[in-house]
Amino acid sequence: MDSVIDARHVSEPGLVVLDITAADEETALALMEELQQLWATSGITTIRRDPAQPGVRARVHADIRRTDPGGEAGLPQGGEEQTPTADQ
């Protein structure tokens, strides 16, 4: 990934940026789907293929402090405050 990681994406403990490289799009999509089930993430992101590199690539932002299996995952947008749930 050549794009710069914005400081707000890793501004506090528990926030991570994951660069994914997979053999094919199906594998990358499956991984992003599973990550959504574990943590609040940026969701299914654009998958890119770089001719100079093997496989496909994607980037996911996640908040690993926010777990909600069975709930709708998604990072807060536009500066929304994070509200802990009863299971955290």
Side-chain angles (χ1 to χ4, degrees):
M1 300 277 147
D2 295 329
S3 60
V4 176
I5 295 172
D6 190 307
R8 69 184 165 158
H9 294 132
V10 292
S11 61
E12 47 188 283
L15 300 180
V16 298
V17 177
L18 303 166
D19 286 330
I20 298 166
T21 302
D24 54 46
E25 290 184 24
E26 293 78 22
T27 302
L29 289 169
L31 174 63
M32 287 188 278
E33 179 65 34
E34 289 297 318
L35 290 174
Q36 284 190 120
Q37 302 306 313
L38 295 174
W39 303 314
T41 73
S42 54
I44 305 296
T45 61
T46 304
I47 296 175
R48 293 181 295 281
R49 187 175 296 275
D50 181 352
Q53 299 291 323
V56 297
R57 301 165 76 187
R59 175 172 283 172
V60 175
H61 301 94
D63 183 343
I64 64 171
R65 303 167 298 184
R66 297 183 61 201
T67 59
D68 189 10
E72 188 171 328
L75 290 175
Q77 300 297 316
E80 291 178 32
E81 296 247 348
Q82 296 176 5
T83 306
T85 59
D87 62 335
Q88 289 186 329

